[in-house]
């Protein structure tokens, strides 16, 4: 059993002005440029884009591993945005205040223990259908039921993209 900590950044979060990653080819070469950082050469750094791309490649790899080992359970679960997330510590003061106080009030974030429980619940769930899916909150909200994200982003279920993510990752690990 393996659980990868995913993120809604894989598909984008319009309410937070986060665009999901866009890809030219979904090739192993393109994924490898993200992994080695050359994708960002000569471009303005964009933490949210890099974060979404990394989580996207990781989710594809987990799906690849699940396909290759059907007797094992590999899932990607987003614990959701919590009000003490360390990513907010690098934001300007108004955004840090919003992350800590405003987002929870608007239902855009929750307490840390809620996210931890999501991970544990999915890990302990014996549902074999869930063995290969990316579980996150629904398409239209950050605090709605967990669903299979491949229903909203079919790329995640594409075996060729999964194979390419695996190939790209294995260029860096041997």
């Amino acid at each position: 059993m393996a659980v990868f900590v995913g993120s809604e950044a894989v598909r984008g979060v319009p309410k937070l002005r986060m665009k999901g990653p866009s890809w030219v080819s979904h090739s192993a070469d393109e994924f490898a440029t993200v992994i080695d950082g050359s994708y960002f050469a000569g471009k303005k750094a964009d933490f949210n884009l890099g974060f979404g791309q990394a989580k996207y490649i990781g989710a594809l790899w987990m799906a690849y591993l699940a396909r290759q080992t059907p007797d094992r359970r590999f899932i990607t679960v987003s614990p959701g945005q919590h009000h003490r997330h360390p990513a907010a510590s690098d934001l300007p003061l108004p955004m840090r205040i919003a992350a800590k106080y405003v987002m929870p009030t608007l239902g855009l974030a929750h307490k840390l223990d809620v996210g931890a429980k999501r991970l544990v619940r999915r890990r302990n769930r014996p549902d074999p259908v869930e063995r290969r899916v990316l579980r996150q909150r629904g398409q239209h909200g950050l605090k709605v039921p967990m669903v299979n994200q491949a229903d909203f982003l079919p790329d995640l279920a594409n075996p060729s993209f999964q194979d390419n993510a695996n190939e790209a990752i294995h260029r860096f690990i041997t």
Side-chain angles (χ1 to χ4, degrees), residues 17 34 36 45 47-48 50 54 79 85 93-95 115 133 144 149:
R17 296 184 182 170
V34 171
D36 72 11
F47 169 81
N48 289 332
H85 197 285
L93 181 61
M95 295 301 289
V133 299
V144 296
Q149 291 299 293

Side-chain angles (χ1 to χ4, degrees), residues 4-171:
F4 176 68
V5 178
S7 172
E8 284 73 19
V10 166
R11 59 172 162 77
V13 184
K15 287 183 177 184
L16 300 180
R17 296 184 182 170
M18 286 180 70
K19 294 179 182 176
S22 61
W23 305 96
V24 174
S25 64
H26 293 87
S27 68
D29 289 336
E30 185 175 25
F31 292 155
T33 66
V34 171
I35 295 168
D36 72 11
S38 63
Y39 176 91
F40 303 99
K43 298 178 184 176
K44 183 181 176 194
D46 184 343
F47 169 81
N48 289 332
L49 175 61
F51 180 75
Q53 289 173 320
K55 293 296 186 173
Y56 183 100
I57 293 167
L60 286 173
W61 189 42
M62 290 294 282
Y64 169 87
L65 293 170
R67 255 189 25 244
Q68 299 304 309
T69 54
D71 59 323
R72 303 277 186 226
R73 194 165 159 238
F74 293 85
I75 60 172
T76 300
V77 178
S78 172
Q81 176 66 26
H82 59 84
H83 70 285
R84 293 189 328 195
H85 197 285
S89 63
D90 293 332
L91 296 173
L93 181 61
M95 295 301 289
R96 286 196 314 263
I97 291 169
K100 187 171 183 177
Y101 300 106
V102 178
M103 288 176 61
T105 303
L106 296 176
L108 298 175
H110 51 71
K111 292 184 178 183
L112 181 59
D113 67 320
V114 173
K117 286 176 185 174
R118 286 172 189 238
L119 293 172
V120 172
R121 237 183 261 125
R122 292 295 169 220
R123 187 217 169 271
N124 293 336
R125 185 181 198 136
D127 183 358
V129 174
E130 193 175 69
R131 185 173 52 79
R132 298 186 182 136
V133 299
L134 172 63
R135 301 297 292 190
Q136 294 175 347
R137 293 172 305 255
Q139 182 179 26
H140 299 293
L142 296 174
K143 288 182 71 177
V144 296
M146 303 278 277
V147 296
N148 182 356
Q149 291 299 293
D151 294 343
F152 306 116
L153 189 60
D155 293 4
L156 297 172
N158 185 313
S160 295
F161 297 170
Q162 295 167 4
D163 293 346
N164 291 343
N166 180 64
E167 181 184 329
I169 289 168
H170 278 87
R171 291 180 186 181

